[in-house]
């Protein structure tokens, strides 16, 4: 006999449930409880819950994994495995073209710490980031403010500022090489204007090569990050600017006290992306400083140095190049964590 369950009505005492309600239908046998094997399979391959409805009742446990499989495979093949392989190679003396190798332990890292060329490349990469990042955070913001308003012909200027982003880095580097050479447009114009007596060695002086490469990076990235700021400026309430104007705040005060706080998160993002890109710069140095990275390699950055010491088919040491790559990864990771901490402190 089925158990009687009391139910409560709104305007009366509990009413007993009729016999047989809630039990198995007449003529059917009760469903046996699942065995231990079935319970184990359910724990390993979870399915829909008891209160699920609609398509969830017919969804298989492996379906989400099927949709995720291409991304997981791509990340593993092109991200996880190369990183692990680089980490393993950093403890060997492997050659760029393959072949037998020996495990050398921490010898590559010990050599790296005493390598003057490594520290020179690290200095150039850090100097590149220290100069480029603040300028890349501020200049695109000012440019976005200039082209934000809907004025006649403003679309042309937005497109013109964005055009360098679409150009190839090699093409842009060749153009700057022609502009900055001793007989290039810049030196020729300055000489004809009687501003200089001799050509400025933009492409032969180590410091000028580095500064010219920074200018190339800024010129090519302004339009890209301008788009970031245009989207962020659209979310800054206009009422704040109007209230600041009523209170007598000028353009500079409205910029620092209204615009900057409104786009602070975008500024953090731009700074992080620019910092990572500055530590990985290669093309600009190669195009302006040549295959040696400036006179005697004085302008080589860490990626440039990794190419020289790790990928040369005759004298390269892939193991040592991998150790320098790990050092570059640690440096980039430290910069990213610092940016995240600053972002959290700003949110707090």
């Amino acid at each position: 006999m089925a158990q009687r369950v009391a139910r409560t009505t709104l305007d009366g005492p509990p009413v007993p449930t009729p016999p047989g309600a809630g039990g198995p239908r007449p003529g059917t046998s009760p469903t046996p409880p699942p065995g231990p094997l079935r319970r184990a399979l359910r724990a390993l391959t979870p399915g829909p819950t008891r209160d699920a409805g609609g398509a969830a009742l017919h969804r298989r446990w492996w379906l989400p994994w099927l949709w995720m499989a291409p991304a997981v495979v791509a990340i593993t093949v092109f991200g996880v495995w190369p990183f692990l392989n680089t980490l393993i190679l950093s403890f060997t003396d492997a050659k760029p073209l393959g072949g037998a190798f020996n495990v050398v332990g921490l010898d590559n890292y010990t050599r790296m710490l005493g390598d003057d060329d490594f520290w020179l490349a690290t200095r150039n990469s850090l100097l590149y980031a220290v100069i480029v990042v603040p300028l890349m955070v501020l200049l695109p913001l000012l440019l976005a403010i200039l082209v934000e308003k809907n004025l006649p012909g403003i679309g042309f200027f937005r497109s013109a500022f964005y055009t360098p982003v679409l150009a190839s880095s090699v093409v842009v580097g060749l153009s700057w090489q022609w502009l900055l050479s001793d007989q290039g447009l810049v030196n020729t114009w300055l000489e004809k204007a009687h501003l200089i007596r001799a050509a400025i060695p933009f492409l032969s002086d180590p410091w000028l090569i580095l500064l010219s490469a920074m200018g190339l990076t800024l010129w090519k990235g302004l339009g890209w990050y301008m788009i970031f700021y245009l989207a962020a400026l659209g979310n800054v309430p206009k009422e704040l600017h109007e209230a600041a104007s009523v209170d007598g705040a000028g353009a500079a005060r409205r910029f620092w006290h209204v615009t900057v706080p409104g786009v602070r998160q975008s500024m953090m993002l731009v700074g992080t992306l620019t910092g990572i890109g500055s530590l990985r710069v290669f093309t600009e140095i190669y195009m302006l400083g040549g295959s040696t990275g400036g006179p005697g390699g004085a302008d080589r950055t860490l990626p440039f140095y990794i190419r020289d010491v790790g990928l040369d088919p005759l004298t390269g040491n892939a193991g040592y190049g991998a150790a320098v790559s790990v050092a570059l990864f640690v440096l980039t990771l430290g910069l990213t964590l610092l940016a995240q901490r600053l972002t959290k402190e700003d949110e707090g």
Side-chain angles (χ1 to χ4, degrees):
M1 181 176 179
Q3 182 182 2
R4 302 186 179 213
V5 181
R7 58 180 181 178
T8 304
T9 61
L10 296 178
D11 53 355
V15 179
T17 303
R25 294 181 179 180
T28 61
S29 59
T31 304
L37 179 59
R38 188 163 184 173
R39 287 198 300 268
L41 289 176
R42 284 184 177 180
L44 295 175
T45 58
T49 58
R50 293 180 179 272
D51 57 348
L57 289 173
H58 309 282
R59 184 178 302 144
R60 299 296 182 265
W61 67 269
W62 44 262
L63 189 60
W65 292 100
L66 179 63
W67 290 107
M68 291 172 57
V72 172
V73 171
I75 292 173
T76 303
V77 173
F78 298 105
V80 177
W81 167 243
F83 173 76
L84 294 177
N85 187 48
T86 301
L87 189 62
I88 294 171
L89 282 178
S90 67
F91 298 101
T92 68
D93 60 354
K95 301 300 179 183
L97 299 181
F101 60 87
N102 300 314
V103 177
V104 297
L106 298 176
D107 289 352
N108 288 327
Y109 293 95
T110 304
R111 172 188 169 187
M112 181 178 62
L113 295 177
D115 189 351
D116 293 337
D117 291 334
F118 165 76
W119 291 112
L120 177 62
T122 304
R123 184 208 69 180
N124 290 336
S125 294
L126 291 176
L127 184 63
Y128 210 98
V130 167
I131 295 178
V132 169
V133 170
L135 294 176
M136 193 67 84
V137 169
L138 184 60
L139 294 181
L141 176 58
L142 299 177
L143 190 61
I145 293 174
L146 291 176
V147 300
E148 179 190 16
K149 298 180 180 180
N150 293 323
L151 300 176
I154 198 65
F156 168 78
F157 291 98
R158 291 178 181 175
S159 301
F161 293 140
Y162 190 76
T163 300
V165 180
L166 304 176
S168 168
S169 298
V170 176
V171 173
V172 173
L174 290 174
S175 301
W176 275 61
Q177 192 179 72
W178 172 73
L179 289 172
L180 300 177
S181 64
D182 291 347
Q183 290 79 34
L185 183 63
V186 174
N187 278 314
T188 300
W189 183 85
L190 291 176
E191 288 179 356
K192 290 186 175 181
H194 302 287
L195 297 176
I196 59 173
R197 295 183 178 180
I200 300 175
F202 290 109
L203 304 181
S204 57
D205 182 81
W207 286 108
L208 291 180
I209 291 175
L210 198 61
L211 293 176
S212 299
M214 294 176 187
L216 174 56
T217 300
L218 289 170
W219 181 76
K220 197 173 187 309
L222 283 177
W224 173 249
Y225 294 114
M226 177 191 72
I227 301 299
F228 283 47
Y229 284 126
L230 282 175
L233 289 172
N235 296 325
V236 178
K238 302 298 182 184
E239 294 80 4
L240 296 179
H241 287 279
E242 295 174 357
S245 299
V246 171
D247 291 340
R253 294 189 63 184
R254 291 199 306 271
F255 174 78
W256 288 111
H257 296 286
V258 178
T259 303
V260 171
V263 300
R264 194 180 300 275
Q265 296 299 321
S266 296
M267 295 176 71
M268 291 293 182
L269 175 62
V270 171
T272 303
L273 296 177
T274 306
I276 294 174
S278 298
L279 295 177
R280 296 169 51 193
V281 67
F282 174 84
T283 305
E284 291 87 339
I285 301 296
Y286 185 87
M287 297 305 300
L288 298 182
S291 59
T292 60
D299 296 300
R300 289 187 298 182
T301 55
L302 282 174
F304 210 113
Y305 185 63
I306 292 170
R307 187 211 66 160
D308 288 347
V309 300
L311 301 180
D312 191 287
L314 298 178
T315 61
N317 185 336
Y320 183 59
V324 180
S325 299
V326 172
L328 177 59
F329 168 76
V330 172
L331 191 62
T332 306
L333 180 62
L335 177 64
T336 305
L337 294 177
L338 177 62
Q340 290 183 351
R341 182 171 182 178
L342 293 176
T343 303
K344 291 182 179 179
E345 290 180 355
D346 179 70
E347 291 176 353

